[in-house]
Amino acid sequence: MLVVGAGPAGLVLGNLLRAEGIDCLILERRSRAHVEHRARAGFLAANSVRILERNGLADGVNAGGQRHGTCSFRTDHGQFELNYGALGRREMTTVYPQQDLVRDLIAEFLDRGGDIRFDAAVSEVGGVGTDRPWVAAGDRRWHGRFVAGCDGRHGVSRAAVPAGAARRYQRTYGVSWLALLAEAPPSMSTVTYAIHANGFAGHMARTPSVTRYYLQCPPGDDPDRWPERRIWDELGVRMHTQRHGALKQGNVIERRIIDMRCDVIEPIQYGRLFLVGDAASLVSPAAAKGANLAIMAADKLARALATALRHGDEGPLSRYSADCMPHIWRAQEFSQWMIHLLCGGPANNDEEAAFQRAVQLARLDSLRTSRRHQDYFAESYVGI
């Protein structure tokens, strides 16, 4: 089995295949140090944790992860907490930095006898319509029975799907976030979403000493236009600190712009090529579903491959795309719902902007008062 990409999708898949005794080579274009320190999402749904636990991959998550069952919403009118752990599925979420999970998964994969080639930039994936697919990196070519493309939406794996063999769906929401990491302890005990006339702001604990913040910003904005003083001043305004207390501040160690967009390809399999994670479906971070979709799909693909290779039954493998797509589209739907809740949408004039904000506040008030809306949020927030 050839796996392109050593993110959560490729590493979970590789570990599950090694547990079945299936040979697996992972090719990663970046260095080990880079992927082990690359700060990304840190929000794991309950089912993702169950998959990791069931396969002996959750020691780090259980030791260092922070369990959460509530989140908070702030507006000019005050704050309310939503105890989603007591609603819907009655399940918790876990915050565990993705770079820590990646380190855990790499160490476990190597302990299980797996083979990872770092600094191996795959330039082409070929032969996926035959029984001998291959991947090329540098002057080397590896052949395998199957290829898993876990290298993101811009990776070579997706490009290996012939034109006309799949349909691509895209949407840009016209909203962007400035994603920040600060060397500062969390200022709140919960994930907190703030809705303000200036735009959305978010607070997400990562570790006892590092906090993730988000600030809505204009599309095409430049992170260099956001010096630390401006960042903390604007966070204070949007997080309504005059009413709720000051934020714990520290050095901002990362700032980058994230455009709210989605990008889905369907089906996510062609011949002997299977797409997993962002290569199959890019989902905006508004709903924190990216890593969870990757883990879900890796689990489904690993079980289907084991059935095919151990028992000669390719039925589950042929259904891989059909089994994953409903989860992908539900995640996309909830992501869109969250973008509209937190950010509204682009407006052509002041009247449209005022309308968007009024609808945002009405939606938030419904979430505060309606048990049906709370159950929908809770079920969607903790699962896929």
Side-chain angles (χ1 to χ4, degrees):
M1 180 73 193
L2 300 171
V3 178
V4 184
L11 290 168
V12 170
L13 176 61
N15 272 289
L16 301 192
L17 293 176
R18 287 304 304 144
E20 293 286 343
I22 298 171
D23 288 336
C24 176
L25 171 65
I26 299 178
L27 299 166
E28 167 56 47
R29 68 185 184 92
R30 307 304 292 262
S31 69
R32 180 173 180 176
H34 180 88
V35 298
E36 288 187 341
H37 293 88
R38 179 172 51 194
R40 287 293 184 268
F43 190 93
L44 295 176
N47 191 55
S48 298
V49 175
R50 280 194 292 270
I51 290 171
L52 297 173
E53 288 177 338
R54 187 169 67 239
N55 293 283
L57 302 173
D59 288 351
V61 171
N62 288 331
Q66 304 173 50
R67 297 293 194 272
H68 289 271
T70 61
C71 61
S72 299
F73 296 88
R74 289 182 178 181
T75 70
D76 296 337
H77 306 296
Q79 173 175 307
F80 74 91
E81 286 191 358
L82 187 59
N83 184 4
Y84 60 81
L87 299 166
R89 300 174 183 272
R90 300 183 182 274
E91 292 182 320
M92 307 282 279
T93 57
T94 301
V95 174
Y96 188 63
Q98 183 170 301
Q99 63 268 32
D100 293 346
L101 177 62
V102 165
R103 280 196 291 271
D104 296 344
L105 293 171
I106 289 174
E108 185 63 31
F109 182 70
L110 295 175
D111 284 346
R112 293 181 180 187
D115 187 0
I116 304 181
R117 308 293 174 90
F118 293 103
D119 296 306
V122 173
S123 57
E124 189 176 3
V125 174
V128 295
T130 73
D131 291 335
R132 290 280 288 167
W134 51 267
V135 301
D139 58 356
R140 296 211 45 190
R141 181 180 285 191
W142 291 268
H143 292 265
R145 294 186 62 179
F146 302 97
V147 176
C150 307
D151 51 343
R153 65 190 285 257
H154 296 302
V156 297
S157 300
R158 180 185 274 203
V161 178
R167 182 174 182 180
R168 188 168 177 176
Y169 303 82
Q170 291 182 304
R171 181 174 182 188
T172 299
Y173 289 98
V175 173
S176 296
W177 288 0
L178 177 66
L180 307 160
L181 273 181
E183 290 182 323
S187 298
M188 303 139 210
S189 60
T190 64
V191 171
T192 301
Y193 303 102
I195 295 174
H196 190 275
N198 290 6
F200 161 73
H203 164 281
M204 291 84 176
R206 282 294 177 262
T207 71
S209 60
V210 174
T211 302
R212 168 72 76 186
Y213 285 99
Y214 291 110
L215 281 168
Q216 185 177 345
C217 62
D221 206 348
D222 184 348
D224 291 337
R225 293 184 60 249
W226 289 86
E228 287 199 9
R229 187 68 271 146
R230 183 187 178 194
I231 287 170
W232 290 113
D233 287 347
E234 192 62 22
L235 282 170
V237 170
R238 299 192 196 183
M239 301 295 297
H240 307 280
T241 55
Q242 283 191 335
R243 173 179 293 190
H244 301 289
L247 301 176
K248 297 174 183 176
Q249 300 185 15
N251 293 329
V252 176
I253 56 177
E254 178 189 281
R255 46 168 77 78
R256 58 191 177 92
I257 301 295
I258 301 175
D259 297 324
M260 298 295 107
R261 58 162 54 106
C262 67
D263 187 335
V264 180
I265 187 170
E266 186 178 6
I268 57 173
Q269 63 187 98
Y270 175 80
R272 297 290 179 172
L273 171 65
F274 301 86
L275 302 179
V276 190
D278 286 354
S281 167
L282 176 73
V283 61
S284 83
K289 298 299 184 189
N292 296 290
L293 282 172
I295 293 171
M296 177 276 298
D299 179 54
K300 288 184 180 295
L301 181 56
R303 287 188 280 116
L305 284 166
T307 300
L309 293 171
R310 292 285 174 243
H311 307 291
D313 177 6
E314 293 199 5
L317 203 56
S318 68
R319 296 191 300 271
Y320 166 70
S321 182
D323 287 345
C324 289
M325 291 311 301
H327 301 282
I328 287 173
W329 283 118
R330 287 193 66 180
Q332 292 287 356
E333 187 277 330
F334 184 62
S335 175
Q336 177 175 278
W337 189 90
M338 285 290 287
I339 290 171
H340 290 162
L341 173 71
L342 300 175
C343 304
N348 295 316
N349 51 54
D350 291 344
E351 289 78 10
E352 284 190 12
F355 179 86
Q356 293 273 22
R357 178 156 170 75
V359 170
Q360 276 183 274
L361 295 175
R363 184 178 286 118
L364 190 63
D365 190 57
S366 179
L367 184 60
R368 180 180 63 85
T369 59
S370 168
R371 176 60 187 268
R372 288 186 178 180
H373 285 190
Q374 291 170 359
D375 283 337
Y376 165 76
F377 175 87
E379 181 176 335
S380 302
Y381 195 70
V382 304
I384 302 174

